[in-house]
Amino acid sequence: MSKTATLYRMVMEHHLCPYGLKSKDLLEREGFTVEDHPLTTRAETDAFKAKHDVDTTPQTFIDGKRIGGYDQLRVALGKEKPKEERTGTSYQPVIALFTMTFLMALAAAFVVTGSWFSILTVEWFVAFSMCGLAYLKLRDIESFSTMFLNYDLLARRWVRYSYLYPFGEGLAGVLMIAGVAMWLAIPVALFIGMIGAVSVFYAVYIQKRELKCACVGGDSNVPLGFISLTENIFMIGMALWMSYKLFGA
């Protein structure tokens, strides 16, 4: 038995509603025959809203029952809730970042050495990750600094450190990728890595606080804990490894 849905969405000369397109695509992928009703003028759109007492479009109807907009449609069809409606924490941003930086490191190492996996792969994976994490923080440094101040011990004593941290992380990562100015990259990575590790350990394992990690930016839902420690351990380990390469036997 075929399933039918009725969709009303804005399709104007200067505005094609993206959520209308996504609603139509979702319905079709779920096996619905879509009775598509484009609203092509502002007057037509306003009249539809007034008639059905709704504030937004698109609006989907299934079996004569109004489901709502795209977000409500996803929920009704058993899909994951939209990001803004989700509660709790998620490791997805960190997993995505580390997956991409690892693949980038594999590709870059292959170009340079002809081998997919080597010490250089590991070095670049860590350095690329540092740069990626720094970028995510710098997208909205105000939000990052606010979240960072919840747990970082140095930032709580010197607020400006919460603004300097992502620049230091990014600088150290870039220098380590290039293999230059290790006299600067090593102490910066070691310093911020150690302060960060101590701060996270104290907040999570001593104080037993449940906080969100600022590691992927101020809009993060990543829980403060193991992942946060991993970022700092990466920096500490990279700094120690680079020191060994420079000064070791």
Side-chain angles (χ1 to χ4, degrees):
M1 182 177 179
S2 65
K3 301 180 291 184
T4 302
T6 304
L7 174 66
Y8 293 85
R9 61 191 181 98
M10 292 176 63
V11 183
M12 299 183 185
E13 182 180 358
H14 299 293
H15 178 66
L16 177 61
C17 179
Y19 291 106
L21 287 173
K22 294 175 77 171
S23 295
K24 185 173 183 292
D25 175 71
L26 177 58
L27 287 164
E28 289 173 344
R29 284 190 286 114
E30 290 295 312
F32 284 85
T33 298
V34 180
E35 294 181 358
D36 192 15
H37 295 271
L39 303 170
T40 59
T41 66
R42 175 57 61 183
E44 191 176 5
T45 302
D46 290 342
F48 170 81
K49 290 179 180 179
K51 178 181 178 181
H52 295 278
D53 192 25
V54 296
D55 296 323
T56 61
T57 59
Q59 292 290 325
T60 299
F61 295 79
I62 298 177
D63 294 331
K65 177 183 177 182
R66 186 175 69 85
I67 304 300
Y70 175 69
D71 293 347
Q72 291 74 32
L73 178 61
R74 284 185 60 86
V75 174
L77 295 179
K79 303 297 182 181
E80 186 178 30
K81 289 183 178 181
K83 181 179 180 181
E84 58 271 18
E85 294 184 10
R86 295 175 202 163
T87 58
T89 55
S90 171
Y91 289 102
Q92 182 178 344
V94 176
I95 293 171
L97 174 73
F98 285 166
T99 299
M100 285 304 305
T101 53
F102 180 66
L103 293 174
M104 289 166 61
L106 286 173
F110 178 76
V111 170
V112 172
T113 67
S115 174
W116 289 102
F117 194 83
S118 63
I119 292 297
L120 186 61
T121 307
V122 178
E123 291 177 358
W124 277 351
F125 167 55
V126 175
F128 288 160
S129 297
M130 290 167 63
C131 292
L133 290 166
Y135 159 73
L136 291 173
K137 296 175 177 71
L138 289 169
R139 289 179 307 154
D140 187 348
I141 196 167
E142 285 294 338
S143 295
F144 162 74
S145 64
T146 300
M147 188 179 289
F148 193 58
L149 286 166
N150 280 321
Y151 58 87
D152 190 84
L153 298 175
L154 178 56
R156 287 184 163 194
R157 291 180 173 270
W158 184 40
V159 174
R160 296 308 301 173
Y161 177 65
S162 65
Y163 293 90
L164 294 173
Y165 180 98
F167 290 98
E169 183 176 30
L171 174 64
V174 169
L175 294 177
M176 288 177 174
I177 292 170
V180 300
M182 289 299 103
W183 59 268
L184 177 59
I186 289 171
V188 168
L190 190 61
F191 178 80
I192 64 178
M194 291 182 67
I195 295 296
V198 171
S199 298
V200 172
F201 186 86
Y202 180 71
V204 175
Y205 300 105
I206 303 298
Q207 294 184 314
K208 307 292 184 181
R209 299 170 66 198
E210 294 185 2
L211 299 170
K212 292 179 180 178
C213 176
C215 55
V216 291
D219 57 351
S220 164
N221 278 328
V222 176
L224 187 68
F226 174 74
I227 294 296
S228 315
L229 277 177
T230 299
E231 176 188 11
N232 293 294
I233 290 171
F234 270 6
M235 285 190 280
I236 295 170
M238 188 69 162
L240 294 176
W241 170 248
M242 289 297 185
S243 297
Y244 173 78
K245 287 181 67 175
L246 283 178
F247 309 113

